[in-house]
Every structure is written in C-alpha cells, then in structure tokens.
Amino acid sequence: MNQTIETILNHRSIRSFKNEPLTDEQIHTIVQSAQAASTSSYIQAYTIIGVKDPAKKKKLAELAGGQSYVEENGHFFVFCADLYRHENIGKWEDADVISSLESTEKFMVAMIDASLAAQNASIAAESMGMGICYIGGIRNDLEAVSEVLQLPHRVIPLFGLAVGHPAADSSVKPRLPLNAVYHEDAYMSDEAGMKAELDRYDETISSYYHERTGGKRSDRWTEQMAKMLSGKKRMYMKEFVEKRGFDKR
Amino acid sequence: MNQTIETILNHRSIRSFKNEPLTDEQIHTIVQSAQAASTSSYIQAYTIIGVKDPAKKKKLAELAGGQSYVEENGHFFVFCADLYRHENIGKWEDADVISSLESTEKFMVAMIDASLAAQNASIAAESMGMGICYIGGIRNDLEAVSEVLQLPHRVIPLFGLAVGHPAADSSVKPRLPLNAVYHEDAYMSDEAGMKAELDRYDETISSYYHERTGGKRSDRWTEQMAKMLSGKKRMYMKEFVEKRGFDKR
C-alpha cells in the first residue's frame, strides 16, 4: 500500500483543531490541489471562499448549528457551485447560455465539479498531516450564508470544509460492507440479500458505538438512518436553489 | 511537496488504455478508497457499479457518444446516487422517510457523497500509476444506462470512471487562475476584474491549444464555454431525475 492510499484509508473527521492558522503557502497548495481535479467539459463551475474574518467565522458557526470547529480551526473553506462566471461569459461572447445554466444537468455538473475539487483539497490537507471536517451544517440557512459571503446570483454554497492541525484524534468509522456498495455488471436489488448485508453491518456499528462510548450508545446504522430521514430537514432547498437560478428546467 | 500532492497536481485525463484488466485486488483497493471519503451524516448514499461484461461496456460506449475508452480500459466504474437502500430501511424500520428522500437537499447529498467517493477512487488509482477519465457522456441517455445496469428506483447514474494503465500520455490542462477561483471572506463579483482575469486566462489557453495542435486550434476558454453552453444539452434531465424519485420537493 502506498502513502497516498494510506492517507485516504486513514481518514477520520476531525472536530477539534489547534489554534494554528494555515500559512498562505499551505492554503495555496490546497486550492491548487482542488483545481487539479477533473472538471466536466472544462467548465470549472465552482468557487472556493476562504474565510479568515473572525466575525464571519463566528456567524457561520452559529448558522451551522453552533459547531465550534467552524470557528476554531486552521482555515475554513466554503465550496460553492458557481455559474455566475459563465453568465458573464454569455454576455461578453453574446451567446444565449441561460437555458443551459438553469438546467438540472448543469446544476449536477456544478455540484460534481465542486465536490471533486473539495475531495482533492481534503486529501492534500490530510497528506500534510492536517485534519479536515466537511460542514454540511451551513446548508441549514443558505440565504444567510450567501449574505455573509456576499454571493451573487447563480452561486450556491454547498458545504464548508474545516481544515487544521488536529487537537484531538478520532477514530475511523466503519463503512458499509464493500459488497453492499460495489456491484458488478448490474445493481443487486434483491431485498433479502440487502437486508442480510445490512443486518451484519448493523452489528458492526452497534459494537463500534458501544466500545467507543463505554456502553452508552449502541445504535444500529439502519436505525440512525431511519431517524435522520424521518426528520424533514432543509425542505426549503428546492425553492432556494431555483431562486438562485439553478435546477429550473 | 509530498507524493500525494504530486499525484494530485499531476492529473490529466487519460483516453487511451492498455488492454490490461485491473486485478480484483486493485479494484478492491480503489473501492475501499472511495468508501473512505466523508459522507453526509453517515448516509453513504451511493453505489458503484463495476462493468466487466464486454457487451455492456460496448453498449455504454455507444450511449456515451462513441467514446472508445469507455469500452477499452482496465476497468469501468459507474458512480450512482443511491437512495433505494434508504427507502428499504424506511420500510424495515417503519419510518416515514419518503419526503426526505425526495427532497432537493437529499439529491444534493447523494451527488456530493458519490463525487467525494469517486475522487478518492481516482486519486487511489493514479497513485498506483494508473490513469483515469471521468465519463459525463453516460448522462446523454440515463434511461438507457439505467436499463443496462438494471438500476432500481431512487438510483441515478451520475458519471462513469474509466481506469487503466495509460497507453498514451496527455498533458496537464491549465486551470483558471487561482485568484479567479479562490476568494477570501467574500465573493469578488466585480465584473471588470473578472473580465481582466479571464482575458489573461484566455491567452494562456489559446497558446496551450496552439502549441499542442501545431497551430490548428487556438480557441479561448471563454469562447469554448460560450459555445458549449449555447448547445442546450441534456435538457431531459429534470424530468428524468424527478421520475427516478429525486429532487421532487
């Protein structure tokens, strides 16, 4: 196993960082790594906002549901789907690009582009000995986040990425059995087989929590998922996304 | 610069592979790497289909617009957003999860999850000396691709990933200037500044094509984008995605 794969397999989310800001050189390397990711038809449909202003970080931490590590970290990035640049290009080149920009296809392209870039950024940071945590919590209130970051039309914040030197370790969380996630030649949709696989996984997860919490927690994965999905979270998203000029047609 | 960052910065899409199938161990390492990526609230909302059947690969190559490297490679993966598993969990746990599953928020979550996983897979493969190419072309006809892969409801193929030992090299394509993509504390939406930045980038891209094609091509990036976006591509996507149970509310 090479070092890169070791870094990848060693991933765990870090939620406590030392008070040690990243240098501009480190930020530069991380962003350059993000940009090196593949991009659909060369579109590069994302923008990354690095947040340094303490007041803005505090505000974002509140909006994300009071997660202290959004405020306290080495650096905080916000990855945004961005087609504002391309709207301008349409004007400058006198081309009718609006139908494209507002299509579900381009919404997907922008999200995929931004996510590939973010994962490169994460691996780059982790390879330098830093820890990372994705912050989906900023999606609690994208209207407010957009205001903090002064985002124009056709730009949507997708998630935050807290990066820094770990102040506390955490453990690698067991993933779904490989066979549940990887199928060959066709999707294995046999319900009984899936149930058996997830039952075994539930046991793994249950003991994982049991061990880590000294018996306080022992929830199964399927139980967690059912609970999480029963809560109708961020149901404003469709309206927001369309209002911002994405996913309209 | 460490080896991982070197691998990341050295990325170029490979479109010609040796006829040398990946071993099961290599496939295993790549999928395991994919699974190690962060996942929103532990949801793991994706499935990866590895395509080995030559007839299916041929069919997918046709559907992707006749790209030979979809058929000829070391291995072909299709990354899918998957909430079918979670629909079953809702049934088994007697929980009302449908509103969540059909929300735009969960459509985003599944796409982000799948993309983070795919980029880990790509980096893992590249770190082992292989080349990769993302295949957005499968989105030309997702109805047909879903049929080939026998995908159930609430599963959408997002993109393919061709992996293998490179038979021909290609060059690293210059990305947007870092300042265009990375902003600090607020989005820099000043139109004149953006135009100046993209004008410089256009010169870079123009010479890049000029050099690589012996003067046959010299298109600017903004010109490429305007042309690409004027073509109203894959406008069936919204209807397809909703029909498959995503992005409905």
Side-chain angles (χ1 to χ4, degrees), chain A residues 58-129:
Chain A
K58 191 167 191 287
K59 181 74 186 158
L60 292 177
E62 279 165 27
L63 291 170
Q67 299 179 20
S68 60
Y69 40 100
V70 172
E71 197 178 344
E72 293 151 15
N73 48 50
H75 199 61
F76 191 68
F77 296 97
V78 178
F79 283 78
C80 307
D82 185 350
L83 290 170
Y84 170 69
R85 200 178 286 131
H86 297 81
E87 183 182 357
N88 279 326
I89 291 173
K91 276 197 286 182
W92 301 332
E93 300 277 331
D94 196 23
D96 174 19
V97 300
I98 301 300
S99 301
S100 264
L101 298 184
E102 297 190 337
S103 67
T104 295
E105 159 72 9
K106 286 296 176 287
F107 177 50
M108 292 168 73
V109 157
M111 249 183 309
I112 294 167
D113 256 30
S115 305
L116 301 184
Q119 190 55 18
N120 262 11
S122 300
I123 298 295
E126 289 177 332
S127 78
M128 294 190 280

Side-chain angles (χ1 to χ4, degrees), chain A residues 13-240:
Chain A
S13 291
I14 296 296
R15 293 190 172 81
S16 171
F17 298 98
K18 288 183 190 155
N19 185 9
E20 195 183 328
L22 267 61
T23 63
D24 282 341
E25 200 193 329
Q26 287 167 332
I27 295 171
H28 189 284
T29 301
I30 290 171
V31 174
Q32 231 192 337
S33 297
Q35 288 196 266
S38 295
T39 161
S40 175
S41 305
Y42 213 7
I43 190 172
Q44 307 176 73
Y46 59 88
T47 286
I48 307 167
I49 315 272
V51 190
K52 282 187 169 169
D53 178 348
K56 289 196 174 186
K57 286 178 90 165
K58 191 167 191 287
K59 181 74 186 158
L60 292 177
E62 279 165 27
L63 291 170
Q67 299 179 20
S68 60
Y69 40 100
V70 172
E71 197 178 344
E72 293 151 15
N73 48 50
H75 199 61
F76 191 68
F77 296 97
V78 178
F79 283 78
C80 307
D82 185 350
L83 290 170
Y84 170 69
R85 200 178 286 131
H86 297 81
E87 183 182 357
N88 279 326
I89 291 173
K91 276 197 286 182
W92 301 332
E93 300 277 331
D94 196 23
D96 174 19
V97 300
I98 301 300
S99 301
S100 264
L101 298 184
E102 297 190 337
S103 67
T104 295
E105 159 72 9
K106 286 296 176 287
F107 177 50
M108 292 168 73
V109 157
M111 249 183 309
I112 294 167
D113 256 30
S115 305
L116 301 184
Q119 190 55 18
N120 262 11
S122 300
I123 298 295
E126 289 177 332
S127 78
M128 294 190 280
M130 300 175 203
I132 65 118
C133 189
Y134 279 91
I135 311 292
I138 64 160
R139 288 199 305 278
N140 289 343
D141 188 348
L142 287 184
E143 196 80 52
V145 171
S146 302
E147 211 171 289
V148 171
L149 304 176
Q150 296 164 249
L151 303 182
H153 195 53
R154 303 199 198 282
V155 178
I156 303 179
L158 297 175
F159 45 79
L161 186 70
V163 179
H165 300 281
D169 198 14
S170 53
S171 56
V172 174
K173 253 167 130 181
R175 296 306 196 238
L176 280 166
L178 192 134
N179 288 336
V181 162
Y182 178 70
H183 307 179
E184 269 180 4
D185 286 327
Y187 193 102
M188 296 179 294
S189 53
D190 158 50
E191 218 187 293
M194 184 184 279
K195 176 109 179 55
E197 198 106 60
L198 294 186
D199 281 347
R200 277 194 299 278
Y201 184 54
D202 272 349
E203 282 177 33
T204 309
I205 296 306
S206 204
S207 353
Y208 168 83
Y209 283 123
H210 191 87
E211 272 170 41
R212 282 189 67 225
T213 61
K216 270 183 224 152
R217 265 183 80 176
S218 60
D219 33 338
R220 295 169 291 115
W221 182 72
T222 52
E223 184 187 351
Q224 261 188 39
M225 290 304 110
K227 203 178 288 175
M228 188 256 290
L229 293 167
S230 301
K232 291 166 190 52
K233 235 174 140 183
R234 303 173 190 155
M235 296 302 288
Y236 76 98
M237 194 57 76
K238 190 172 183 60
E239 202 187 321
F240 174 80

Side-chain angles (χ1 to χ4, degrees), chain A residues 178 182-186, chain B residues 14 16-31 48-54 57 60 68-79 121-122 125 128 130-135 149 159-166:
Chain A
L178 192 134
Y182 178 70
H183 307 179
E184 269 180 4
D185 286 327
Chain B
I14 296 296
S16 171
F17 298 98
K18 287 184 192 156
N19 184 9
E20 194 184 327
L22 267 62
T23 64
D24 282 341
E25 199 193 330
Q26 287 167 331
I27 294 171
H28 188 285
T29 302
I30 290 171
V31 174
I48 308 167
I49 316 273
V51 190
K52 282 187 170 170
D53 178 348
K57 286 178 90 165
L60 292 177
S68 61
Y69 40 98
V70 172
E71 198 179 343
E72 293 151 16
N73 48 50
H75 199 60
F76 191 69
F77 296 97
V78 178
F79 282 78
S122 300
M128 294 191 278
M130 300 175 204
I132 64 117
C133 189
Y134 280 90
I135 311 292
L149 304 177
F159 46 78
L161 186 71
V163 178
H165 300 278

